[in-house]
């Protein structure tokens, strides 16, 4: 039975695709069906379509077309700059935030096997990584630093610009570690206005989080660097493999529709992006939703201070809450029985019992086990969020 989009609250795992965009992109890619690396006329036609998609993505993000590398998704876009340090002759360390997505946190841990130390940058109890915490973790041997823009479980917006500035100042006149930002949960959710900061070297994006297809991502590279992974030399030698033209075209179209405060989107909407207006609307709905959750006995927002801190510190598209004595998996199944989709955390960690992000924040084990993530998207409605709240109240009432 098809899920009602208004009752789908797992957008942080994947977004409901924009069918019109995928169909249009498929049609365009079928018309330019050749290998974009081929030098004959058909190949050149496909190459032209690919480069248009690249230019369109760059225009939305406000960067140069040559700085856009198409990949297979957010994970690969995280791995490429991290693994590039394997080209370095010296053995040093990498520093990744303790609230990072498994794509970075677990890959960084694997580098220990080849003699590279992995350091975790601590988070405070509210899920924020401060510039001071970063500087206290790095040293002269640090090769790579990564802090995600928006946390996928709590919605905490990290002070990326301040961290970039702090690293620039601390390493002035010395070799600075590469600073990478995972923007997968930020794209289409909050304004991306920091890519041109001098201290940011790379960033990762994924199409399926903004209503695009799976299997296509973007790696933003400020400047050329020597890449560890080798192959056919596509994407400027950064990401080898026959290009996914369909995915690239679809990603560009989704960016134009969903990126917040994007120059292209604003131009197409009379100076104010439709997604920006939706962003403000979601802030109001989420504030009301949190207020409703706090009225339920035994419910607590994670972090607890979210209700006290400015809304500007959190993405309105993600809310984490715990329900006393009701295991998260039980709440998930109870809501699923009512036709409502939620999750207990990152989809990439859904089969794991641990909750490393909440653990890094110092959330007690009992509370971690009773926590649930609610995430919203373009098709979320105020009525749907009220239905979710009413269903949660019914489940909680059954346990009290």
């Amino acid at each position: 039975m098809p899920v009602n989009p208004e009752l789908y609250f797992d957008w942080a795992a994947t977004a409901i695709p924009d069918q019109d965009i995928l169909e249009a992109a498929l049609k365009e890619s079928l018309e330019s069906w050749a290998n974009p690396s081929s030098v004959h006329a058909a190949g050149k036609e496909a190459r032209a379509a690919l480069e248009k998609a690249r230019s369109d993505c760059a225009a939305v993000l406000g960067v140069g077309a040559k700085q856009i590398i198409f990949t297979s998704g957010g994970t690969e876009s995280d791995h490429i700059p991290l693994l590039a340090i394997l080209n370095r002759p010296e053995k040093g360390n990498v520093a990744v935030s303790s609230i990072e997505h498994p794509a970075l946190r677990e890959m960084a841990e694997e580098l220990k096997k080849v003699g590279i130390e992995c350091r975790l940058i601590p988070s405070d109890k509210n899920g924020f990584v401060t510039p001071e915490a970063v500087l206290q973790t790095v040293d002269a041997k640090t090769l790579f630093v990564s802090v995600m823009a928006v946390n996928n479980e709590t919605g905490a917006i990290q002070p990326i610009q301040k961290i970039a500035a702090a690293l620039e100042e601390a390493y002035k006149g010395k070799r600075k570690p590469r600073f990478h930002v995972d923007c997968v949960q930020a794209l289409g959710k909050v304004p991306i206005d920091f890519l041109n900061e001098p201290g940011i070297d790379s960033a990762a994006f994924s199409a399926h989080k903004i209503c695009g297809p799976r299997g296509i991502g973007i790696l933003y590279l400020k400047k050329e660097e020597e890449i560890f992974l080798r192959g056919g030399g596509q994407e400027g030698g950064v990401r080898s493999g026959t290009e996914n033209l369909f995915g690239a075209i679809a990603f560009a179209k989704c960016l134009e529709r969903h990126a917040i405060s994007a120059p292209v989107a604003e131009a197409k909407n009379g100076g104010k992006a439709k997604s920006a207006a939706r962003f403000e609307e979601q802030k109001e709905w989420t504030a009301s939703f949190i207020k409703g959750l706090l009225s339920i006995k035994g419910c607590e927002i994670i972090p607890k201070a979210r209700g006290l801190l400015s809304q500007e510190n959190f993405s309105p598209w993600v809310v984490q809450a715990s329900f006393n004595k009701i295991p998260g998996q039980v709440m998930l199944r109870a809501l699923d029985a009512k036709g409502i989709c939620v999750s207990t955390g990152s989809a990439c960690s859904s089969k794991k019992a641990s909750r490393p992000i909440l653990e890094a924040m110092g959330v007690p084990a009992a509370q971690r086990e009773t926590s649930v993530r609610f995430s919203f998207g373009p098709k979320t409605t105020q009525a749907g969020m009220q239905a979710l709240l009413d269903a949660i109240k019914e489940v909680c009432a059954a346990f009290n």
Side-chain angles (χ1 to χ4, degrees), residues 75 79 99 186 192 201 305 371 394 396:
T75 295
H79 286 179
I99 59 167
I192 304 286
D201 299 295
S371 66
E394 290 177 7
C396 291

Side-chain angles (χ1 to χ4, degrees), residues 346-396:
S346 168
C348 298
S349 302
S350 61
K351 296 182 180 179
K352 302 176 183 177
S354 62
R355 298 293 300 276
I357 291 173
L358 302 187
E359 189 174 350
M361 293 167 57
V363 177
Q367 190 176 15
R368 296 199 300 268
E369 292 173 3
T370 62
S371 66
V372 178
R373 179 183 71 180
F374 307 102
S375 53
F376 317 112
K379 294 184 185 299
T380 299
T381 64
Q382 190 172 24
M385 291 182 70
Q386 184 60 51
L388 169 62
L389 187 60
D390 291 342
I392 293 170
K393 289 179 178 179
E394 290 177 7
V395 175
C396 291

Side-chain angles (χ1 to χ4, degrees), residues 54-367:
R54 192 188 314 279
S55 295
D56 289 345
C57 288
V60 172
L61 294 174
V63 300
K66 291 184 178 180
Q67 296 175 314
I68 298 293
I69 308 299
F70 289 118
T71 68
S72 65
T75 295
E76 188 179 24
S77 295
D78 283 334
H79 286 179
I80 290 173
L82 172 60
L83 296 180
I85 67 171
L86 295 175
N87 288 315
R88 300 280 186 86
E90 73 273 24
K91 297 292 184 182
N93 63 75
V94 298
V96 302
S97 79
S98 58
I99 59 167
E100 213 68 15
H101 188 276
L104 270 162
R105 190 181 63 250
E106 294 186 11
M107 190 70 249
E109 290 282 348
E110 283 293 303
L111 292 178
K112 292 179 180 178
K113 295 177 181 179
V114 292
I116 296 174
E117 179 189 1
C118 175
R119 298 179 177 182
L120 290 181
I121 307 167
S123 149
D124 66 18
K125 64 180 181 180
N126 293 319
F128 296 103
V129 174
T130 65
E132 293 74 23
V134 173
L135 295 184
Q136 289 169 8
T137 305
V138 302
D139 61 20
K141 293 185 177 181
T142 303
L143 305 172
F144 178 90
V145 175
S146 181
V147 179
M148 69 195 324
V150 175
N151 185 260
N152 54 300
E153 293 198 24
T154 66
I157 300 174
Q158 305 304 318
I160 296 302
Q161 290 166 302
K162 292 181 179 179
I163 292 172
L167 287 170
E168 282 285 290
E169 181 63 28
Y171 286 90
K172 186 177 294 183
K174 297 177 285 187
R175 179 191 58 76
K176 183 184 78 71
R178 292 194 175 278
F179 182 34
H180 176 74
V181 184
D182 183 324
C183 294
V184 169
Q185 290 296 339
L187 186 63
K189 307 296 177 63
V190 299
I192 304 286
D193 55 2
F194 50 74
L195 291 181
N196 287 307
E197 289 289 327
I200 294 175
D201 299 295
S202 58
F205 303 91
S206 181
H208 79 97
K209 304 295 188 180
I210 60 166
C211 306
R214 301 179 185 92
I216 183 71
I218 284 175
L219 168 63
Y220 160 74
L221 277 182
K222 184 178 291 292
K223 57 184 179 181
E224 291 183 10
E225 64 177 274
E226 188 177 356
I227 301 302
F228 179 73
L229 300 172
R230 303 293 178 177
Q234 291 90 345
E235 294 299 296
V238 176
R239 196 273 176 179
S240 293
T242 302
E243 300 92 341
N244 178 356
L245 181 57
F246 158 70
I249 294 171
F251 203 163
K253 293 179 183 296
C254 286
L255 267 174
E256 291 182 357
R257 177 175 291 178
H258 296 291
I260 295 173
S261 298
V264 170
E266 289 190 0
K268 291 188 175 182
N269 288 281
K272 183 173 179 62
K274 181 180 179 181
S275 52
R278 179 70 181 82
F279 176 52
E280 296 301 322
E281 186 177 53
Q282 189 62 44
K283 283 183 182 179
E284 297 179 10
W285 295 355
T286 298
S288 178
F289 178 68
I290 289 175
K291 184 177 180 180
L293 286 177
L294 291 175
S295 71
I296 301 173
K297 182 180 179 181
C299 177
E300 190 170 299
I301 303 300
I302 302 176
K304 189 174 182 179
R306 180 165 184 175
L308 304 175
L309 297 172
S310 169
Q311 278 198 69
E312 303 305 315
N313 293 315
F314 293 91
S315 164
W317 307 95
V318 178
V319 174
Q320 182 91 209
S322 63
F323 300 89
N324 187 35
K325 298 181 181 179
I326 306 177
Q329 289 292 340
V330 172
M331 176 64 78
L332 186 156
R333 289 194 292 270
L335 292 176
D336 192 42
K338 297 175 180 291
I340 297 173
C341 300
V342 301
S343 69
T344 55
S346 168
C348 298
S349 302
S350 61
K351 296 182 180 179
K352 302 176 183 177
S354 62
R355 298 293 300 276
I357 291 173
L358 302 187
E359 189 174 350
M361 293 167 57
V363 177
Q367 190 176 15

